[in-house]
Amino acid sequence: MPDEGAPSRRASRPAIVAVDDEPAVLAAVARDLRRRFGDRYRILRASSGPEALELLRQTRARGDAVALLVADQRMPGMSGTEYLVEARKLVPDAKRVLLTAYADTEAAIQAINEVALDYYLLKPWDPPEEQLFPVVEDLLTTWEAGAALEAGGVRVVGHRFSRDSHELRDFLARNRVPARWLDVERDAEARELLAVAGVADDRLPTVLLEDGSILERPSVLELAERLGVSGQAAQEHYDLVIVGGGPAGLAAAVYGASEGLRTVMVEREAPGGQAGQSSRIENYLGFPAGLSGSDLARRGTDQARRLGAELLTIQDAVALRAEGSGRIVELSGGATLSANCVLVASGVSYRQLQVPGFDELTGAGVYYGAAITEARACADQEVVVIGGANSAGQAAVHFAGFARRVTMLVRGASLEASMSHYLIEQLGALPNVEVRTDTQAVAATGRDGHLASLRIRGPEGEGDLRADACFVFIGAQPRTDWLDGVVARDDRGFILAGPDVAAGGGWGLSRDPYLLETSVPGVFVAGDVRSRSIKRVASAVGEGSMAVSLVHQYLAEA
């Protein structure tokens, strides 16, 4: 069977590698995978872990991509889990599936943590149309989306420690625009491109588009417009305008569109909001292996669009006003959106650290949020994460896979009061992560235009800590300035809703406000921006879907 066991030169299709020591099972796996995915992927197979590892080395040596690994757990000499541990070193981006018997379920669950297992399948998987194909298709779709980002036709050339370069890279990554980053100081290709294009060093960052055009020092908005990312409203009036594209906003877009409401969602940066920056969300129901915030955003965006919602990105809401039964949202570009109802799901932004040096070095070694675009650039470097909540813990775990050392600076006495137990356990198991409690950064120092060290204060006094990159998670502030004087807010700027509105005496109708309704009838709030909300992805999704039900009630009574 040369088309499977031996490498083929007939195409450069990505590979799916299956390994099982039982010939009948291996043949069945290869047969089913070939029948459904053989037109897009080469199906390679091996009868043992060592044989599969050698096959992976040969495949990678030819420069071919590996999309999926399928391995049986019970193999003599090298178990499926042991094989996946080694295979992950060779093809870290490949999706990983473990084939198990019912008795191996515990080992499969353990493998989720040990090898970042994406899925485990119980044998037999009959019928494959129900038990195998949907799982593999979903994993391959996710892999393809990531591969497209890595091999994209848009090229960005600039300095790594440049705030402007970082903003463009972050915009492209968060909006899932396929693009390649070329560091002018490290990549010979970057210098060659600049020479051919005739671009001077003082015109960086430079973006080379697929149509051959060149943008020198573009703003994010200019790049978005050239790529067609932002979009324009297609209708004059909507049933529902959603401000914010985080989990709450995306959920509302999905439910609103699916239930026949003319729905448009406006997002100032990229779908996914703050959650979209998370390297790994592991406590969201239905995803036992966890998923990245980027993947969650992609899934939610695709689902909302498929159901008929309009999504406008790189546009910010700057004002809200009521005109009779209509609600008008003014956008930063000067356009307006008219609707019967508005859902405010504008979320929160990370609070800035007000100590010497941080403002000057933001984007040049200091980043707010996970800044996943910087992860690979942190290979073998000293990374500092400031903060003690889940977002900080998720970032530390993620960066530990790249950095030489990750140091967490936590102001409090412990992590237990602010971080989930599963994250604390993960951090404790990582040998290159150090957690320093009762410690804070009091200054940042740069060298050659980028971060070099932090001045920290802890139980033993003050000292300097080397830092090649620093990621800050020190709480959040609501994005509600644009609603000042329009809707009632608490003393921290979070929006009051339901009973809190009624208790504050700012409600003028005879009926009580709905649970998520603000002080302006027909304007609702959901997610982190709501006063007293639970800061979790699942609760935001629940509030977003609940808000649509309340919108229906409001429209029925209007």
Side-chain angles (χ1 to χ4, degrees):
M1 289 166 286
D3 62 320
E4 294 180 343
S8 169
R9 301 301 302 170
R10 63 187 175 126
S12 58
R13 290 172 296 166
I16 297 175
V17 179
V19 54
D20 198 303
D21 67 304
E22 296 184 29
V25 176
L26 182 59
V29 174
R31 178 199 65 219
D32 287 341
L33 291 174
R34 190 187 312 110
R35 178 159 63 92
R36 178 62 178 82
F37 306 102
D39 60 331
R40 296 152 50 198
Y41 294 87
R42 289 192 300 132
I43 312 302
L44 309 179
R45 58 184 184 177
S47 58
S48 69
E51 180 184 339
L53 291 174
E54 180 58 31
L55 186 58
L56 289 177
R57 294 187 187 97
Q58 295 175 14
T59 302
R60 296 300 293 150
R62 294 195 309 272
D64 294 340
V66 177
L68 178 68
L69 305 175
V70 181
D72 184 63
Q73 170 62 12
R74 293 190 178 186
M75 294 188 294
M78 176 180 281
S79 68
T81 302
E82 293 170 337
Y83 155 69
L84 290 176
V85 168
E86 297 304 315
R88 188 182 180 189
K89 301 174 184 176
L90 298 173
V91 285
D93 296 326
K95 297 299 177 182
R96 293 170 284 275
V97 174
L98 196 65
L99 299 178
T100 67
Y102 183 78
D104 298 326
T105 301
E106 188 65 33
I109 293 175
Q110 185 176 353
I112 291 175
N113 291 328
E114 291 181 358
V115 299
L117 189 69
D118 293 290
Y119 209 91
Y120 68 89
L121 282 170
L122 294 177
K123 299 184 293 185
W125 53 86
D126 192 52
E129 289 78 9
E130 297 179 9
Q131 304 297 328
L132 177 67
F133 295 162
V135 171
V136 174
E137 184 66 62
D138 182 65
L139 292 174
L140 292 177
T141 298
T142 302
W143 179 85
E144 288 169 357
L149 293 179
E150 293 290 332
V154 175
R155 289 165 293 180
V156 181
V157 181
H159 298 279
R160 178 194 168 191
F161 295 110
S162 157
R163 182 179 300 198
D164 293 339
S165 293
H166 170 72
E167 289 178 352
L168 293 179
R169 294 169 60 201
D170 195 54
F171 156 74
L172 292 169
R174 294 188 62 193
N175 283 276
R176 303 196 67 81
V177 177
R180 290 175 58 211
W181 159 248
L182 298 170
D183 188 338
V184 71
E185 296 169 347
R186 297 183 180 182
D187 300 316
E189 182 183 354
R191 305 299 308 178
E192 294 173 3
L193 286 173
L194 294 179
V196 171
V199 177
D201 285 350
D202 62 355
R203 302 300 297 169
L204 299 180
T206 293
V207 180
L208 296 89
L209 303 181
E210 291 182 284
D211 62 6
S213 58
I214 300 172
L215 303 179
E216 299 179 20
R217 300 180 65 182
S219 66
V220 168
L221 181 58
E222 181 184 356
L223 180 57
E225 291 174 345
R226 289 295 300 272
L227 293 172
V229 172
S230 56
Q232 299 295 325
Q235 301 183 46
E236 294 184 357
H237 187 78
Y238 295 86
D239 295 312
L240 176 62
V241 170
I242 302 165
V243 178
L250 283 171
V254 167
Y255 279 89
S258 68
E259 295 175 12
L261 296 178
R262 291 170 297 173
T263 303
V264 62
M265 186 188 81
V266 182
E267 165 56 40
R268 67 192 297 267
E269 293 178 348
Q274 195 179 76
Q277 296 179 280
S278 175
S279 57
R280 205 74 183 166
I281 302 170
E282 299 196 60
N283 55 358
Y284 188 46
L285 183 65
F287 292 87
L291 78 168
S292 69
S294 176
D295 192 29
L296 177 64
R298 176 187 62 82
R299 292 169 182 266
T301 300
D302 291 347
Q303 190 175 15
R305 284 184 170 141
R306 181 179 66 82
L307 292 169
E310 291 182 41
L311 274 61
L312 309 180
T313 56
I314 319 302
Q315 301 193 50
D316 203 3
V318 296
L320 170 70
R321 67 178 188 271
E323 293 185 356
S325 61
R327 302 292 178 263
I328 309 299
V329 176
E330 298 180 12
L331 303 181
S332 53
T336 60
L337 295 173
S338 172
N340 296 319
C341 292
V342 171
L343 173 64
V344 180
S346 48
V348 296
S349 57
Y350 286 111
R351 186 171 291 116
Q352 307 291 295
L353 190 58
Q354 302 298 325
V355 298
F358 271 75
D359 185 57
E360 295 84 352
L361 293 168
T362 296
V366 172
Y367 309 97
Y368 289 89
I372 302 303
T373 52
E374 302 296 335
R376 294 185 185 278
C378 292
D380 298 323
Q381 294 190 338
E382 299 287 333
V383 171
V384 176
V385 174
I386 299 178
N390 277 3
S391 53
Q394 290 164 350
V397 170
H398 180 68
F399 288 120
F402 301 90
R404 179 188 303 115
R405 171 168 292 275
V406 177
T407 303
M408 292 190 69
L409 305 183
V410 182
R411 180 187 292 267
S414 69
L415 292 173
E416 278 71 13
S418 56
M419 187 178 293
S420 296
H421 179 69
Y422 79 91
L423 271 174
I424 296 175
E425 287 191 329
Q426 287 185 24
L427 291 169
L430 293 171
N432 63 334
V433 174
E434 178 187 4
V435 179
R436 299 191 183 185
T437 56
D438 291 319
T439 304
Q440 57 187 303
V442 295
T445 302
R447 183 176 60 249
D448 299 328
H450 60 84
L451 178 68
S453 65
L454 297 178
R455 186 73 175 172
I456 63 173
R457 180 184 300 140
E460 299 178 358
E462 288 194 7
D464 292 324
L465 174 67
R466 176 185 167 184
D468 298 302
C470 176
F471 301 88
V472 183
F473 307 81
I474 57 168
Q477 53 192 18
R479 291 173 170 165
T480 59
D481 289 346
W482 62 287
L483 295 169
D484 186 29
V486 180
V487 301
R489 299 179 294 167
D490 65 18
D491 55 2
R492 295 185 300 155
F494 291 89
I495 298 174
L496 301 174
D500 291 333
V501 169
W507 185 251
L509 300 185
S510 58
R511 67 169 176 84
D512 291 334
Y514 296 119
L515 186 61
L516 298 178
E517 196 169 17
T518 71
S519 59
V520 178
V523 176
F524 298 83
V525 61
D528 290 356
V529 74
R530 182 179 66 83
S531 178
R532 299 200 294 180
S533 66
I534 299 174
K535 307 299 188 285
R536 291 289 185 271
V537 171
S539 60
V541 170
E543 288 188 12
S545 58
M546 183 195 307
V548 172
S549 176
L550 301 177
V551 166
H552 278 294
Q553 294 183 45
Y554 175 85
L555 293 176
E557 293 182 359

